[in-house]
Amino acid sequence: MASHAANLWVLLGLGLAGIFLMTKRLKKTIKADFGAFIQKLELLPPPQPAPPKAPHPLTGLNFAVSDVFDIEGYVTGFGHPDWLRTHEPSTRTSPVVLALVEGGATCIGKTVVDELAYSIHGENKHYSTPTNPAAPARIPGGSSSGAAVAVAADFVDFSLGIDTLGGIRVPAAFCGVIGFRPSNGVISNTGIIPVSSSLDTVGLFAKDPSTLRRVGLVLLQLPFSVQRNPKQILLADDCFELLKIPKDRISQVVTNSTEKHFGRQVLKHENLEKYFSSKVPSLEEFYSQKINGDSKFSSLTLLANVAQILQRYEFKCSHGEWINSEKPVLDSAISAQINETLDMTDKEIEICKSIRTEMRLAVNNLLKDDGILVIPTTAYPPPKLGSKEIFSDDYQNRSFSLLSIASISGCCQVTLPLGYHDKCPVSASFIARHGGDRFLLDTVQTVYSSLQEHADTVAKSKLSPNAVNQEHSAEVVKEKGNQAYKDKQWQKAIGFYTEAIKLSGNNATYYSNRAAAYLELGSFLQAEADCSKAISLDKKNVKAYLRRGTAREMLGYYKEAIEDFSYALVLEPTNKRAALSADRLRKVFQ
């Protein structure tokens, strides 16, 4: 008996020792910065202009850049130590980075990219794989892995990367943040190491639509224009069939949000396979040249092939000489693609260029000036670290069939997080015509809050009746938001209030408080939407009426603003702010 007890103590001791060792290893694996940064630095904005001039548009924001952007005095590493070793420090800073710094933002570092920024997985054996904050056991997605992780982990307000065949969109989807691939050619690629010259686009990560829009407008250098609502939201039904999670988990969220904001008549359905087959005639010619006329290949699969061939061909044109001379040690999967013999004739290259031109025309004709195309960003949830799944033909075909649409057409695309499914982030993507970047950013800002609410509702509808009550957690997060608001950290406050809303979406105070933070940032449409939601939940919320009145006044909706201030006064007759605001507007506009 004594011997048996002794053996039990020995086993227990070994078990505890094992747990201790595993904990130590885990702590070593997850770095303090989640492995996002490859180099810390600081580029400070110029001093603020003296009043009455407006402050810089990006004042108070900080950001990071992927290690493909040149910064004066630093070697651009391109995700590989051999590249770092064989290149000199940059003599100039990329104009894109300079524009953001001059706009008032502070750059705090460079972030990890995949080897030679070539893959979409996010794993880099030389600098280790950044930890995905949304799902630590899963890959972060690439090539701009570190930039996405830096935003997801709240180290920066936004970050820059490069999107060739999904380098922004995939990590945004896998890490649960917003990712923006602008229209091809609208932002300068000067001072950026190319991957594929005709497909590369500077991209942007952000945690909220307000920051996305502020930074996007600085990068795009667009003049002021009146905001327009979409007249058609097209759901690409065949693209949703590619999903490896229940398609309703995403499509239902988009449908509900669209009906709420724009009405059911705006929602339409499209089969892109059939549309591209008829509108992109050069696909058939490519097909006969490269696939030997096998009629089993769909137009989306062919587009995926065209995109990958173009990337491989243009990458070798830019970097083949360096690879042959330096013989860098590359990941086997990347090496196989780069070194694969490409017997591309001049005619075949011309066919690919024709497909690119026809695709842009086809998507522009489909969407016109006021349409949004909705597709899943990725077919698969983020695979586990070290998984062989990412090399399977099915994973590759489904992924690039979705990613190639914007890459080949050059149209703009935003990846939008829609909560979780089986503990993994899920997302949808909105696509607008080439050049429709401002329209796309405005639409995202309008619907984002609603998308999050409906995503939360859909997710909760799948929970068991025994799900843990989250109201207490929501209150704790709300208090953090209140403190951030007092500290004038508006973006942080919005983040906390958004988290509280996700935990408990029927609390009017959370929406009203978030509206107050949006007002401080000048996000008046978002503030109005939040106040309207708060009022729908609580008809006697005086603060919501006051804040909506302020937002409407700033938007030029003076009659509606007067009504809001007047109703607040009915609810609270002694409220001086409501009385003064209503009287002031009546005197000016009556």
Side-chain angles (χ1 to χ4, degrees), residues 368-420:
K368 300 182 173 57
D369 287 337
D370 50 21
I372 296 289
L373 177 67
V374 183
I375 65 171
T377 308
T378 57
Y380 279 71
K384 292 180 179 179
L385 290 164
S387 170
K388 301 298 181 186
E389 181 180 53
I390 58 177
F391 304 115
S392 71
D393 288 341
D394 186 70
Y395 182 90
Q396 297 282 320
N397 288 336
R398 289 175 189 255
S399 297
F400 289 116
S401 290
L402 294 170
L403 296 166
S404 64
I405 296 168
S407 290
I408 296 293
S409 69
C411 296
C412 48
Q413 178 173 339
V414 172
T415 296
L416 298 166
L418 297 179
Y420 289 76

Short mmCIF file of all heavy atoms in Angstrom, two decimals, residues 368-420:
data_model
loop_
_atom_site.label_atom_id
_atom_site.label_comp_id
_atom_site.label_asym_id
_atom_site.label_seq_id
_atom_site.Cartn_x
_atom_site.Cartn_y
_atom_site.Cartn_z
N LYS A 368 -20.34 48.95 -61.65
CA LYS A 368 -20.54 50.36 -62.01
C LYS A 368 -20.05 51.26 -60.87
O LYS A 368 -19.14 50.90 -60.15
CB LYS A 368 -21.99 50.60 -62.38
CG LYS A 368 -22.43 49.76 -63.58
CD LYS A 368 -23.84 50.03 -63.99
CE LYS A 368 -24.19 49.28 -65.28
NZ LYS A 368 -23.99 47.81 -65.19
N ASP A 369 -20.67 52.43 -60.71
CA ASP A 369 -20.19 53.36 -59.69
C ASP A 369 -20.79 53.13 -58.32
O ASP A 369 -20.34 53.73 -57.34
CB ASP A 369 -20.50 54.81 -60.11
CG ASP A 369 -19.61 55.29 -61.24
OD1 ASP A 369 -18.52 54.72 -61.41
OD2 ASP A 369 -20.03 56.21 -61.96
N ASP A 370 -21.82 52.30 -58.24
CA ASP A 370 -22.56 52.23 -56.99
C ASP A 370 -22.83 50.80 -56.52
O ASP A 370 -23.75 50.55 -55.77
CB ASP A 370 -23.89 52.97 -57.11
CG ASP A 370 -24.67 52.55 -58.35
OD1 ASP A 370 -24.40 51.45 -58.87
OD2 ASP A 370 -25.54 53.32 -58.80
N GLY A 371 -22.00 49.85 -56.96
CA GLY A 371 -22.19 48.46 -56.57
C GLY A 371 -21.07 47.93 -55.69
O GLY A 371 -19.93 48.38 -55.79
N ILE A 372 -21.42 46.99 -54.83
CA ILE A 372 -20.45 46.31 -53.97
C ILE A 372 -20.61 44.80 -54.19
O ILE A 372 -21.72 44.27 -54.12
CB ILE A 372 -20.69 46.62 -52.47
CG1 ILE A 372 -20.48 48.11 -52.18
CG2 ILE A 372 -19.80 45.75 -51.58
CD1 ILE A 372 -19.03 48.57 -52.22
N LEU A 373 -19.50 44.13 -54.47
CA LEU A 373 -19.49 42.67 -54.60
C LEU A 373 -19.04 42.08 -53.27
O LEU A 373 -18.04 42.52 -52.70
CB LEU A 373 -18.53 42.26 -55.71
CG LEU A 373 -18.33 40.75 -55.94
CD1 LEU A 373 -19.61 40.10 -56.45
CD2 LEU A 373 -17.18 40.51 -56.92
N VAL A 374 -19.76 41.07 -52.78
CA VAL A 374 -19.42 40.44 -51.50
C VAL A 374 -18.99 39.00 -51.75
O VAL A 374 -19.72 38.22 -52.38
CB VAL A 374 -20.62 40.45 -50.53
CG1 VAL A 374 -20.22 39.85 -49.19
CG2 VAL A 374 -21.13 41.87 -50.34
N ILE A 375 -17.80 38.66 -51.26
CA ILE A 375 -17.27 37.30 -51.36
C ILE A 375 -16.63 36.93 -50.02
O ILE A 375 -16.31 37.81 -49.22
CB ILE A 375 -16.22 37.15 -52.48
CG1 ILE A 375 -14.97 38.01 -52.17
CG2 ILE A 375 -16.80 37.52 -53.84
CD1 ILE A 375 -13.80 37.75 -53.12
N PRO A 376 -16.44 35.63 -49.75
CA PRO A 376 -15.61 35.26 -48.59
C PRO A 376 -14.17 35.70 -48.88
O PRO A 376 -13.73 35.66 -50.04
CB PRO A 376 -15.71 33.74 -48.54
CG PRO A 376 -16.84 33.37 -49.45
CD PRO A 376 -16.94 34.45 -50.47
N THR A 377 -13.45 36.12 -47.87
CA THR A 377 -12.04 36.49 -48.09
C THR A 377 -11.21 35.24 -48.34
O THR A 377 -10.42 35.18 -49.29
CB THR A 377 -11.47 37.23 -46.87
OG1 THR A 377 -12.34 38.30 -46.54
CG2 THR A 377 -10.09 37.77 -47.17
N THR A 378 -11.39 34.25 -47.50
CA THR A 378 -10.68 32.98 -47.62
C THR A 378 -11.69 31.84 -47.51
O THR A 378 -12.73 31.98 -46.87
CB THR A 378 -9.62 32.82 -46.52
OG1 THR A 378 -10.26 32.94 -45.24
CG2 THR A 378 -8.53 33.87 -46.63
N ALA A 379 -11.37 30.72 -48.13
CA ALA A 379 -12.28 29.57 -48.09
C ALA A 379 -12.13 28.80 -46.78
O ALA A 379 -13.11 28.28 -46.24
CB ALA A 379 -12.00 28.65 -49.27
N TYR A 380 -10.90 28.73 -46.29
CA TYR A 380 -10.59 27.95 -45.09
C TYR A 380 -10.45 28.86 -43.88
O TYR A 380 -9.99 30.00 -44.01
CB TYR A 380 -9.26 27.22 -45.27
CG TYR A 380 -9.31 25.93 -46.06
CD1 TYR A 380 -9.55 25.93 -47.43
CD2 TYR A 380 -9.10 24.71 -45.43
CE1 TYR A 380 -9.56 24.75 -48.16
CE2 TYR A 380 -9.11 23.52 -46.14
CZ TYR A 380 -9.34 23.55 -47.51
OH TYR A 380 -9.37 22.36 -48.22
N PRO A 381 -10.78 28.38 -42.68
CA PRO A 381 -10.35 29.08 -41.47
C PRO A 381 -8.83 28.98 -41.37
O PRO A 381 -8.22 28.15 -42.07
CB PRO A 381 -11.04 28.30 -40.35
CG PRO A 381 -11.28 26.94 -40.91
CD PRO A 381 -11.51 27.12 -42.38
N PRO A 382 -8.18 29.79 -40.54
CA PRO A 382 -6.72 29.72 -40.46
C PRO A 382 -6.24 28.32 -40.06
O PRO A 382 -6.65 27.81 -39.02
CB PRO A 382 -6.35 30.76 -39.39
CG PRO A 382 -7.63 31.07 -38.68
CD PRO A 382 -8.73 30.82 -39.65
N PRO A 383 -5.39 27.69 -40.89
CA PRO A 383 -4.88 26.36 -40.54
C PRO A 383 -3.97 26.39 -39.32
O PRO A 383 -3.43 27.44 -38.95
CB PRO A 383 -4.09 25.95 -41.79
CG PRO A 383 -4.64 26.81 -42.89
CD PRO A 383 -4.99 28.10 -42.24
N LYS A 384 -3.81 25.23 -38.70
CA LYS A 384 -2.93 25.13 -37.53
C LYS A 384 -1.48 25.33 -37.94
O LYS A 384 -1.09 25.04 -39.07
CB LYS A 384 -3.11 23.77 -36.85
CG LYS A 384 -4.48 23.60 -36.20
CD LYS A 384 -4.61 22.23 -35.54
CE LYS A 384 -5.98 22.08 -34.88
NZ LYS A 384 -6.15 20.76 -34.25
N LEU A 385 -0.68 25.82 -37.00
CA LEU A 385 0.76 25.99 -37.25
C LEU A 385 1.38 24.66 -37.67
O LEU A 385 1.12 23.63 -37.05
CB LEU A 385 1.45 26.52 -35.99
CG LEU A 385 1.13 27.97 -35.61
CD1 LEU A 385 1.55 28.23 -34.17
CD2 LEU A 385 1.84 28.94 -36.54
N GLY A 386 2.19 24.70 -38.71
CA GLY A 386 2.86 23.49 -39.18
C GLY A 386 1.99 22.55 -39.96
O GLY A 386 2.42 21.47 -40.34
N SER A 387 0.74 22.95 -40.22
CA SER A 387 -0.19 22.07 -40.93
C SER A 387 0.23 21.89 -42.39
O SER A 387 0.69 22.83 -43.04
CB SER A 387 -1.60 22.65 -40.87
OG SER A 387 -2.46 21.96 -41.74
N LYS A 388 0.06 20.66 -42.91
CA LYS A 388 0.34 20.37 -44.32
C LYS A 388 -0.83 20.79 -45.21
O LYS A 388 -0.73 20.78 -46.43
CB LYS A 388 0.61 18.88 -44.51
CG LYS A 388 1.79 18.33 -43.69
CD LYS A 388 3.09 19.00 -44.09
CE LYS A 388 4.26 18.41 -43.28
NZ LYS A 388 5.52 19.15 -43.53
N GLU A 389 -1.95 21.15 -44.57
CA GLU A 389 -3.17 21.51 -45.29
C GLU A 389 -2.93 22.64 -46.28
O GLU A 389 -3.50 22.66 -47.38
CB GLU A 389 -4.22 21.93 -44.26
CG GLU A 389 -5.57 22.32 -44.83
CD GLU A 389 -6.53 22.71 -43.72
OE1 GLU A 389 -6.18 23.58 -42.89
OE2 GLU A 389 -7.62 22.12 -43.67
N ILE A 390 -2.04 23.58 -45.89
CA ILE A 390 -1.82 24.76 -46.74
C ILE A 390 -1.16 24.41 -48.07
O ILE A 390 -1.18 25.22 -49.00
CB ILE A 390 -0.97 25.83 -46.00
CG1 ILE A 390 0.37 25.25 -45.56
CG2 ILE A 390 -1.73 26.40 -44.82
CD1 ILE A 390 1.29 26.26 -44.89
N PHE A 391 -0.57 23.21 -48.17
CA PHE A 391 0.07 22.82 -49.43
C PHE A 391 -0.83 21.95 -50.30
O PHE A 391 -0.44 21.58 -51.41
CB PHE A 391 1.38 22.07 -49.13
CG PHE A 391 2.33 22.85 -48.28
CD1 PHE A 391 2.68 22.40 -47.01
CD2 PHE A 391 2.87 24.04 -48.73
CE1 PHE A 391 3.56 23.13 -46.21
CE2 PHE A 391 3.74 24.79 -47.94
CZ PHE A 391 4.08 24.32 -46.67
N SER A 392 -2.02 21.64 -49.82
CA SER A 392 -2.91 20.78 -50.60
C SER A 392 -3.46 21.53 -51.80
O SER A 392 -3.62 22.76 -51.79
CB SER A 392 -4.07 20.28 -49.73
OG SER A 392 -4.96 21.35 -49.43
N ASP A 393 -3.76 20.79 -52.87
CA ASP A 393 -4.32 21.41 -54.08
C ASP A 393 -5.65 22.09 -53.78
O ASP A 393 -5.95 23.16 -54.31
CB ASP A 393 -4.50 20.35 -55.18
CG ASP A 393 -3.18 19.89 -55.76
OD1 ASP A 393 -2.17 20.62 -55.60
OD2 ASP A 393 -3.16 18.81 -56.39
N ASP A 394 -6.47 21.46 -52.92
CA ASP A 394 -7.77 22.01 -52.61
C ASP A 394 -7.64 23.37 -51.92
O ASP A 394 -8.34 24.33 -52.27
CB ASP A 394 -8.57 21.05 -51.72
CG ASP A 394 -10.00 21.52 -51.50
OD1 ASP A 394 -10.78 21.48 -52.46
OD2 ASP A 394 -10.32 21.93 -50.37
N TYR A 395 -6.74 23.45 -50.94
CA TYR A 395 -6.52 24.71 -50.22
C TYR A 395 -6.04 25.79 -51.18
O TYR A 395 -6.55 26.92 -51.18
CB TYR A 395 -5.50 24.51 -49.10
CG TYR A 395 -5.24 25.74 -48.25
CD1 TYR A 395 -5.99 25.99 -47.12
CD2 TYR A 395 -4.25 26.66 -48.61
CE1 TYR A 395 -5.77 27.12 -46.34
CE2 TYR A 395 -4.02 27.80 -47.85
CZ TYR A 395 -4.78 28.02 -46.72
OH TYR A 395 -4.57 29.16 -45.97
N GLN A 396 -5.06 25.44 -52.00
CA GLN A 396 -4.50 26.41 -52.95
C GLN A 396 -5.55 26.88 -53.95
O GLN A 396 -5.69 28.08 -54.21
CB GLN A 396 -3.31 25.79 -53.68
CG GLN A 396 -2.14 25.40 -52.79
CD GLN A 396 -1.29 26.60 -52.39
OE1 GLN A 396 -1.04 27.49 -53.19
NE2 GLN A 396 -0.84 26.62 -51.14
N ASN A 397 -6.30 25.95 -54.52
CA ASN A 397 -7.28 26.30 -55.56
C ASN A 397 -8.40 27.18 -55.00
O ASN A 397 -8.78 28.18 -55.61
CB ASN A 397 -7.87 25.03 -56.19
CG ASN A 397 -6.88 24.31 -57.08
OD1 ASN A 397 -5.93 24.92 -57.58
ND2 ASN A 397 -7.07 23.01 -57.27
N ARG A 398 -8.94 26.78 -53.86
CA ARG A 398 -10.02 27.57 -53.27
C ARG A 398 -9.53 28.96 -52.87
O ARG A 398 -10.22 29.96 -53.08
CB ARG A 398 -10.60 26.85 -52.04
CG ARG A 398 -11.42 25.61 -52.38
CD ARG A 398 -11.85 24.90 -51.10
NE ARG A 398 -12.46 23.61 -51.37
CZ ARG A 398 -13.77 23.36 -51.28
NH1 ARG A 398 -14.60 24.32 -50.93
NH2 ARG A 398 -14.24 22.15 -51.53
N SER A 399 -8.34 29.01 -52.26
CA SER A 399 -7.80 30.29 -51.79
C SER A 399 -7.59 31.26 -52.95
O SER A 399 -8.07 32.40 -52.94
CB SER A 399 -6.49 30.08 -51.03
OG SER A 399 -6.70 29.30 -49.87
N PHE A 400 -6.85 30.81 -53.96
CA PHE A 400 -6.49 31.73 -55.04
C PHE A 400 -7.65 32.01 -55.99
O PHE A 400 -7.65 33.03 -56.67
CB PHE A 400 -5.26 31.21 -55.79
CG PHE A 400 -4.00 31.32 -54.98
CD1 PHE A 400 -3.30 30.18 -54.60
CD2 PHE A 400 -3.52 32.56 -54.58
CE1 PHE A 400 -2.14 30.28 -53.83
CE2 PHE A 400 -2.37 32.66 -53.82
CZ PHE A 400 -1.68 31.52 -53.44
N SER A 401 -8.65 31.14 -56.02
CA SER A 401 -9.85 31.44 -56.80
C SER A 401 -10.54 32.69 -56.25
O SER A 401 -11.04 33.52 -57.01
CB SER A 401 -10.83 30.26 -56.77
OG SER A 401 -10.33 29.17 -57.51
N LEU A 402 -10.55 32.84 -54.94
CA LEU A 402 -11.16 34.01 -54.31
C LEU A 402 -10.23 35.23 -54.38
O LEU A 402 -10.68 36.35 -54.67
CB LEU A 402 -11.50 33.70 -52.85
CG LEU A 402 -12.58 32.64 -52.61
CD1 LEU A 402 -12.63 32.26 -51.14
CD2 LEU A 402 -13.95 33.14 -53.09
N LEU A 403 -8.96 35.01 -54.12
CA LEU A 403 -8.01 36.13 -54.04
C LEU A 403 -7.69 36.73 -55.40
O LEU A 403 -7.37 37.92 -55.50
CB LEU A 403 -6.71 35.66 -53.36
CG LEU A 403 -6.85 35.22 -51.89
CD1 LEU A 403 -5.60 34.48 -51.44
CD2 LEU A 403 -7.11 36.43 -51.00
N SER A 404 -7.78 35.93 -56.46
CA SER A 404 -7.37 36.41 -57.78
C SER A 404 -8.35 37.41 -58.37
O SER A 404 -7.98 38.17 -59.28
CB SER A 404 -7.21 35.22 -58.74
OG SER A 404 -8.44 34.57 -58.94
N ILE A 405 -9.59 37.45 -57.88
CA ILE A 405 -10.59 38.35 -58.47
C ILE A 405 -10.11 39.80 -58.42
O ILE A 405 -10.07 40.50 -59.44
CB ILE A 405 -11.95 38.19 -57.76
CG1 ILE A 405 -12.50 36.78 -57.99
CG2 ILE A 405 -12.94 39.24 -58.27
CD1 ILE A 405 -13.69 36.44 -57.11
N ALA A 406 -9.74 40.28 -57.24
CA ALA A 406 -9.25 41.66 -57.11
C ALA A 406 -7.83 41.80 -57.63
O ALA A 406 -7.47 42.83 -58.20
CB ALA A 406 -9.33 42.11 -55.65
N SER A 407 -6.99 40.76 -57.43
CA SER A 407 -5.61 40.85 -57.87
C SER A 407 -5.52 41.04 -59.39
O SER A 407 -4.75 41.87 -59.88
CB SER A 407 -4.82 39.61 -57.46
OG SER A 407 -4.63 39.57 -56.06
N ILE A 408 -6.30 40.26 -60.14
CA ILE A 408 -6.24 40.34 -61.60
C ILE A 408 -6.97 41.58 -62.11
O ILE A 408 -6.49 42.29 -63.00
CB ILE A 408 -6.84 39.08 -62.26
CG1 ILE A 408 -6.01 37.85 -61.89
CG2 ILE A 408 -6.89 39.23 -63.77
CD1 ILE A 408 -4.62 37.83 -62.45
N SER A 409 -8.14 41.88 -61.56
CA SER A 409 -8.91 43.03 -62.05
C SER A 409 -8.33 44.35 -61.58
O SER A 409 -8.60 45.40 -62.18
CB SER A 409 -10.37 42.92 -61.59
OG SER A 409 -10.47 43.11 -60.19
N GLY A 410 -7.55 44.32 -60.49
CA GLY A 410 -7.01 45.56 -59.93
C GLY A 410 -8.01 46.37 -59.15
O GLY A 410 -7.75 47.53 -58.80
N CYS A 411 -9.18 45.80 -58.85
CA CYS A 411 -10.22 46.52 -58.11
C CYS A 411 -9.88 46.57 -56.62
O CYS A 411 -9.02 45.83 -56.14
CB CYS A 411 -11.57 45.85 -58.32
SG CYS A 411 -12.11 45.94 -60.04
N CYS A 412 -10.55 47.47 -55.90
CA CYS A 412 -10.27 47.62 -54.47
C CYS A 412 -11.11 46.65 -53.65
O CYS A 412 -12.23 46.31 -54.02
CB CYS A 412 -10.50 49.05 -54.02
SG CYS A 412 -12.06 49.79 -54.55
N GLN A 413 -10.56 46.20 -52.53
CA GLN A 413 -11.22 45.19 -51.69
C GLN A 413 -10.91 45.46 -50.23
O GLN A 413 -9.77 45.79 -49.87
CB GLN A 413 -10.74 43.79 -52.08
CG GLN A 413 -11.31 42.66 -51.25
CD GLN A 413 -10.93 41.28 -51.79
OE1 GLN A 413 -10.57 41.13 -52.96
NE2 GLN A 413 -10.99 40.27 -50.95
N VAL A 414 -11.93 45.32 -49.39
CA VAL A 414 -11.74 45.43 -47.93
C VAL A 414 -12.17 44.13 -47.27
O VAL A 414 -13.27 43.62 -47.53
CB VAL A 414 -12.55 46.61 -47.33
CG1 VAL A 414 -12.48 46.58 -45.81
CG2 VAL A 414 -12.01 47.94 -47.82
N THR A 415 -11.30 43.58 -46.43
CA THR A 415 -11.61 42.40 -45.62
C THR A 415 -12.17 42.86 -44.29
O THR A 415 -11.57 43.69 -43.61
CB THR A 415 -10.34 41.57 -45.39
OG1 THR A 415 -9.87 41.07 -46.63
CG2 THR A 415 -10.60 40.41 -44.45
N LEU A 416 -13.35 42.33 -43.92
CA LEU A 416 -14.04 42.76 -42.71
C LEU A 416 -14.23 41.59 -41.75
O LEU A 416 -14.83 40.57 -42.12
CB LEU A 416 -15.41 43.33 -43.07
CG LEU A 416 -15.37 44.57 -43.97
CD1 LEU A 416 -16.74 44.87 -44.53
CD2 LEU A 416 -14.85 45.76 -43.18
N PRO A 417 -13.73 41.69 -40.52
CA PRO A 417 -13.91 40.60 -39.55
C PRO A 417 -15.37 40.48 -39.14
O PRO A 417 -16.07 41.47 -38.96
CB PRO A 417 -13.04 41.04 -38.36
CG PRO A 417 -12.95 42.53 -38.47
CD PRO A 417 -12.99 42.83 -39.95
N LEU A 418 -15.84 39.23 -39.01
CA LEU A 418 -17.23 38.97 -38.63
C LEU A 418 -17.30 37.99 -37.47
O LEU A 418 -18.07 37.03 -37.48
CB LEU A 418 -18.02 38.43 -39.83
CG LEU A 418 -18.17 39.35 -41.04
CD1 LEU A 418 -18.96 38.67 -42.14
CD2 LEU A 418 -18.83 40.67 -40.65
N GLY A 419 -16.47 38.21 -36.46
CA GLY A 419 -16.50 37.37 -35.28
C GLY A 419 -15.78 36.05 -35.49
O GLY A 419 -14.81 35.96 -36.26
N TYR A 420 -16.29 35.00 -34.82
CA TYR A 420 -15.60 33.72 -34.80
C TYR A 420 -16.54 32.57 -35.15
O TYR A 420 -17.75 32.67 -34.95
CB TYR A 420 -15.02 33.45 -33.40
CG TYR A 420 -13.84 34.32 -33.05
CD1 TYR A 420 -14.01 35.66 -32.69
CD2 TYR A 420 -12.54 33.81 -33.08
CE1 TYR A 420 -12.93 36.47 -32.38
CE2 TYR A 420 -11.45 34.61 -32.77
CZ TYR A 420 -11.66 35.94 -32.42
OH TYR A 420 -10.58 36.72 -32.12
#
